[in-house]
Amino acid sequence: MTDTRPAPRPIGHLLRDPVLRGLIGFTLLGCVLFVLFSGNSTRQSQVFWLWQVPLDAALALGGWRLRRLAHERYRRFWSMISFAGASFTVGDTYHAVQILISPGVPSLTGGTVQTVFFAIGMSSNVIACLIFPQGLQTSRERFVFWLDATTVLVGGGVVAWCFAFNPLDGTHTDRVNASVTAALVLVATFSATKVALIRHPPMARMAAWPMVSAAMVQGVSTLLPGDFQTLEHAYVYAIRLLPSVLIAIGPWMQVIVVRVGDPRHTTKRRPYSLLPYGMIAVTFVVFFLMLPGTASSQLVGATAGVVVITCLVAGRQLVAFHDNMSLITRLDVALGELRDQEVQLREQASFDGLTGLANRTHFSAEITRLLTADSSLLLIDLDDFKTINDTMGHAAGDALLVIVASRLRDAVRGDDVVCRLGGDEFAMLLPGTGPDGAEVVAAQILRRLAAPIVLLQHTVIVKASIGLTGARPGDDPSTLLANADIAMYEAKHRGKGMWIPYADEMGARISAEAVLIRQLDLAVEQEQFILVYQPIVRLSDDRLMGVESLIRWNHPVRGLVSPVDFIPVAERTGQIVAIGRWVLREACRQAAAWIAESPDETPLQVGVNVAGPQLRDPELVADVAAVLAETGLPAGSLVIEVTETAVVDDEQSHRTMEALRALGVKLALDDFGTAASSLGLLLTCPVNSLKLDRSFVESITTVSRQAAVATAVSQMAAALEFGSVAEGIETEEQRDLLRGLGYEYGQGYLYSRPVPPERISELRPAPAASTVPAASAVPASV
């Protein structure tokens, strides 16, 4: 969250700082003493040198304090400044003690010891400024810096030359002393100017200017002519004391800036400096002072014109600089907004807008970056999430996803990556966590998700299927995701609400299934399937009344493949729809052919199994109508067999069955009794007959409970006026018992195994022979 509080302002802290107050008060006290001791140069000189010592010590302590507070890159600079202050303190202390003990001739120039320590300290200051890195990256920046610095250097040189070698009063001074002082002050001025002009200075601007001004004042006060070089006036002492005060308060101002923060110091610096313009102004002032009193009016006028024009041009340039700064400021604001939008777009491109988790793209990048041989990946899919969306609405589903995302975050460490891959599927990368640790995390996730959630005043319990896999040497992200996906679907198949670790045999099974899917596509294209038919007889007289068509895959390599081996895969992949169309067309064609062979016989009814995906196919009813019209098969001769699980709580399937009934097609509920909601289906499902599952027939003669279920189904079918068919009849005893229970029709190995269509024609003319098991006449391989 962005901090909208105003940045701290150091001005108020400067005014309240006890050190700065003490330094200023101490200086004012010295000025008062200079005035009080007017006429006594010895006392004034003693006060001057005594006042230098605390100011020098303040410089040393301020530099040392900043050495500890400032950034590491500035520590050498402040160490040298502190050393300079210490040198000044030693030299001035020695001289102050000397003039107290032996006053001598009053002077503001120190002795040999003070001069040596002053030179050492000043050299330390100058070196600190000169060796500080400029931070200039381009040749243009370096060129501008040296232009400004040279302007200041030339201006300072002009002032030094005019005052040191050509005093205003024309008196001659000590040229050697004047030259040394001028050179030292000039170098100090240039060094301080450099620190003020570089891009990343060691001091804030407000703290740097007093130290820059100290060098300028030192130079001016040293070279001023006339009364400024005498010791008869109190202001001379005050002016000569001023540089020491300015250089002492600079570090303490910087201490406050570092402690409270200076927003002006941290913002972008002005692309131009006013310092060169100030030096131009000083040079012009000196120039006017140097004009001889006998100068002609033409010279004075021309000089004034040059000065005025120069000032106007400089003013015009400053206005242009100001306009450019305003434009740059507006551009900075616009660029800042663009950067904010860029950050927002980057977040949108990397994170899920609903849950705030990483999205698939960002997760893929993080896997590539963080994946190591000791990492693990979890793939999490919520169980039955579609039910939430369908019954409570998508808003409730979104709210549930947000809660789930929060619980997933709480279940992992800070360096783990949680991602929403899409829908209700999540992934979790655990760097540095092996399979054992991943299993602990998976168990923890299931516990956290199982905590009740209240949505729209309803309590929801969330379950998830989790597939986990550990990274092995050579695994790439796509392999890891594929393995976790395989394990997750294995957890789904085993009953949901659990975690399953990936095993190689799972991958082998999936690979085999992938091959099977490709071969099924080819089988549909080349119609590699055949149909066999199992007779359905009337139990009262064992007469053949119909058949159930059963598919076989005539694989070019494996031979005949049972539907148990490929129908579940076809249902999962949707290939069952195309396969079902072929079965429907072929069964109806064969049933029509049987009718044509025996037009005087009662038409056989042909049963066609239809899976759940077929019932949800919007084209199924049209396909059935088209096939009936194409083959000429009466609609009443076609029986669509559906399982209970295919129509449970499925409105589309119910609408499809109603439309099939409207065509005249008969419907049978296959494998009846094996699903949990059979009784409820009897009231809503528009079927004509019930087919008792073979599991209730196989032990009907020995297990009383199975006989009871078979009895109940027969009675319900009779009460609801449904036909009843018993599957899996293998013995005459089973047949007789089922016949006694009221079942109308039966099928099973007692009558025949599934056989090719020509065998149905052979079985039809001899109903009496059906009392002898016909299975012996049918090849066992069929």
Side-chain angles (χ1 to χ4, degrees):
M1 182 178 294
T2 303
D3 188 358
T4 58
R5 296 175 297 180
R9 306 289 291 181
I11 299 297
H13 293 272
L14 291 176
L15 298 177
R16 296 190 300 270
D17 184 71
V19 176
L20 293 181
R21 283 183 173 185
L23 290 174
I24 295 174
F26 183 73
T27 304
L28 292 177
L29 177 60
C31 293
V32 171
L33 292 177
F34 292 148
V35 174
L36 291 178
F37 292 128
S38 293
N40 189 341
S41 298
T42 300
R43 291 296 183 191
Q44 289 176 317
S45 176
Q46 289 174 337
V47 171
F48 176 81
W49 287 108
L50 287 172
W51 252 241
Q52 290 285 354
V53 175
L55 296 177
D56 296 338
L59 174 64
L61 291 175
W64 186 257
R65 180 81 179 276
L66 283 170
R67 180 187 178 276
R68 300 169 58 189
L69 294 177
H71 190 274
E72 183 177 358
R73 64 180 302 209
Y74 302 133
R75 289 178 182 172
R76 184 174 64 176
F77 174 85
W78 288 114
S79 296
M80 299 186 72
I81 296 296
S82 179
F83 174 76
S87 298
F88 295 155
T89 303
V90 173
D92 291 345
T93 300
Y94 177 86
H95 190 69
V97 172
Q98 187 179 34
I99 66 173
L100 285 175
I101 297 174
S102 177
V105 178
S107 174
L108 298 183
T109 302
T112 303
V113 174
Q114 190 275 340
T115 301
V116 170
F117 278 98
F118 177 78
I120 293 174
M122 187 60 73
S123 300
S124 180
N125 281 339
V126 170
I127 293 172
C129 295
L130 291 177
I131 67 175
F132 191 83
Q134 299 177 12
L136 305 176
Q137 300 177 350
T138 65
S139 58
R140 179 185 179 281
E141 290 178 341
R142 289 189 288 270
F143 178 71
V144 171
F145 168 79
W146 284 109
L147 278 181
D148 289 346
T150 304
T151 302
V152 175
L153 185 62
V154 171
V158 169
V159 174
W161 173 265
C162 292
F163 286 100
F165 299 100
N166 295 283
L168 290 176
D169 58 0
T171 59
H172 294 285
T173 59
D174 184 355
R175 295 299 179 91
V176 176
N177 182 59
S179 299
V180 172
T181 302
L184 187 59
V185 171
L186 191 61
V187 174
T189 302
F190 170 72
S191 303
T193 301
K194 173 193 172 184
V195 174
L197 292 178
I198 59 178
R199 180 184 296 274
H200 300 291
M203 304 178 67
R205 190 178 296 118
M206 66 168 56
W209 276 115
M211 302 189 74
V212 174
S213 303
M216 296 181 180
V217 173
Q218 179 74 23
V220 172
S221 64
T222 302
L223 302 177
L224 283 175
D227 292 341
F228 291 97
Q229 300 301 323
T230 67
L231 303 180
E232 300 174 357
H233 305 285
Y235 61 79
V236 173
Y237 295 95
I239 292 175
R240 298 293 290 272
L241 186 64
L242 183 59
S244 298
V245 179
L246 293 174
I247 199 172
I249 67 175
W252 288 101
M253 293 176 67
Q254 182 64 21
V255 168
I256 297 172
V257 169
V258 172
R259 191 169 62 240
V260 304
D262 181 10
R264 290 168 293 181
H265 179 50
T266 57
T267 56
K268 185 178 180 180
R269 295 174 63 85
R270 186 186 293 117
Y272 62 92
S273 174
L274 295 177
L275 189 59
Y277 295 95
M279 292 308 301
I280 291 174
V282 171
T283 303
F284 279 147
V285 171
V286 174
F287 180 69
F288 273 111
L289 293 176
M290 293 294 107
L291 283 176
T294 59
S296 63
S297 58
Q298 291 89 345
L299 178 59
V300 173
T303 302
V306 170
V307 172
V308 171
I309 291 175
T310 303
C311 291
L312 291 175
V313 172
R316 177 68 183 87
Q317 191 177 34
L318 288 175
V319 171
F321 282 153
H322 179 74
D323 292 341
N324 290 338
M325 280 294 297
S326 299
L327 178 60
I328 290 172
T329 300
R330 291 196 296 270
L331 288 175
D332 284 343
V333 172
L335 288 175
E337 293 176 351
L338 288 176
R339 282 192 292 268
D340 292 342
Q341 293 178 1
E342 180 185 3
V343 171
Q344 184 177 1
L345 290 174
R346 188 180 295 114
E347 290 181 352
Q348 292 176 351
S350 301
F351 296 92
D352 177 55
L354 176 64
T355 63
L357 299 177
N359 60 15
R360 183 183 292 271
T361 302
H362 184 56
F363 188 68
S364 299
E366 288 296 282
I367 289 183
T368 304
R369 184 176 67 88
L370 299 174
L371 183 62
T372 58
D374 57 348
S375 300
S376 295
L377 179 70
L378 276 64
L379 200 63
I380 306 155
D381 189 85
L382 302 185
D383 295 331
D384 304 318
F385 176 74
K386 184 177 182 297
T387 304
I388 300 293
N389 274 338
D390 292 345
T391 59
M392 303 177 66
H394 289 281
D398 290 345
L400 179 63
L401 291 175
V402 172
I403 296 173
V404 168
S406 176
R407 293 183 177 182
L408 291 179
R409 284 194 201 94
D410 295 339
V412 298
R413 304 163 302 180
D415 56 347
D416 298 332
V417 183
V418 185
C419 158
R420 182 189 178 201
L421 295 177
D424 61 331
E425 191 173 51
F426 300 85
M428 188 179 293
L429 177 65
L430 308 177
T433 302
D436 294 339
E439 292 179 1
V440 174
V441 174
Q444 183 179 2
I445 289 173
L446 292 180
R447 286 195 302 271
R448 288 179 178 271
L449 293 181
I453 299 173
V454 178
L455 291 176
L456 301 179
Q457 300 180 349
H458 294 279
T459 301
V460 178
I461 303 297
V462 178
K463 293 184 178 181
S465 298
I466 303 177
L468 62 89
T469 182
R472 295 173 294 188
D475 282 350
D476 55 20
S478 59
T479 300
L480 209 61
L481 279 169
N483 291 345
D485 191 56
I486 292 171
M488 185 269 290
Y489 276 106
E490 182 69 19
K492 291 279 188 187
H493 293 157
R494 294 190 189 182
K496 305 179 181 179
M498 65 178 67
W499 54 267
I500 295 294
Y502 173 79
D504 288 335
E505 55 267 22
M506 296 180 189
R509 186 169 64 250
I510 294 297
S511 298
E513 186 172 294
V515 172
L516 183 64
I517 291 171
R518 291 194 297 271
Q519 292 177 345
L520 271 177
D521 285 334
L522 184 64
V524 171
E525 180 181 346
Q526 297 181 355
E527 296 186 355
Q528 296 176 358
F529 305 104
I530 62 172
L531 288 183
V532 292
Y533 302 89
Q534 187 170 32
I536 300 175
V537 302
R538 189 166 54 199
L539 294 180
S540 60
D541 57 3
D542 290 341
R543 181 177 179 81
L544 181 63
M545 302 301 295
V547 293
E548 179 181 359
S549 56
L550 302 172
I551 190 171
R552 299 290 186 269
W553 180 7
N554 191 13
H555 194 279
V557 176
R558 298 167 57 185
L560 287 180
V561 179
S562 169
V564 175
D565 296 331
F566 67 89
I567 289 298
V569 175
E571 290 187 4
R572 289 199 300 272
T573 60
Q575 295 168 308
I576 191 64
V577 175
I579 295 173
R581 288 196 185 101
W582 180 87
V583 171
L584 175 68
R585 186 174 62 253
E586 178 62 19
C588 290
R589 183 198 64 76
Q590 183 59 58
W594 284 327
I595 293 176
E597 289 178 4
S598 306
D600 298 331
E601 296 287 339
T602 302
L604 290 178
Q605 292 185 348
V606 60
V608 175
N609 291 285
V610 172
Q614 292 176 268
L615 283 177
R616 292 186 287 274
D617 178 17
E619 303 296 327
L620 177 62
V621 177
D623 289 342
V624 171
V627 168
L628 292 176
E630 176 186 340
T631 60
L633 180 69
S637 295
L638 176 62
V639 180
I640 298 294
E641 298 188 11
V642 297
T643 61
E644 296 170 274
T645 55
V647 295
V648 171
D649 296 330
D650 192 327
E651 294 183 3
Q652 176 61 41
S653 298
H654 279 267
R655 287 194 295 268
T656 300
M657 294 176 69
E658 293 284 0
L660 292 173
R661 280 289 299 268
L663 290 178
V665 173
K666 294 182 179 180
L667 303 174
L669 202 55
D670 197 11
D671 300 333
F672 185 77
T674 57
S677 55
S678 303
L679 296 180
L681 280 178
L682 296 179
L683 302 176
T684 59
C685 193
V687 296
N688 302 96
S689 60
L690 303 179
K691 297 188 72 173
L692 180 67
D693 187 71
R694 67 182 66 248
S695 61
F696 297 105
V697 175
E698 59 185 0
S699 301
I700 193 172
T701 59
T702 58
V703 180
S704 59
R705 289 188 177 183
Q706 291 192 352
V709 171
T711 301
V713 172
S714 174
Q715 292 174 349
M716 284 188 295
L720 295 173
E721 298 182 351
F722 291 162
S724 55
V725 182
E727 299 180 301
I729 302 175
E730 297 184 357
T731 66
E732 294 183 1
E733 186 178 5
Q734 291 173 344
R735 178 197 61 191
D736 295 341
L737 180 56
L738 290 167
R739 180 190 298 166
L741 292 177
Y743 281 88
E744 300 178 85
Y745 304 97
Q747 66 182 95
Y749 289 174
L750 175 64
Y751 302 103
S752 175
R753 291 176 178 270
V755 295
E758 58 271 16
R759 289 287 292 127
I760 297 297
S761 300
E762 296 174 5
L763 293 173
R764 194 174 184 189
S770 63
T771 58
V772 179
S776 59
V778 180
S781 60
V782 178

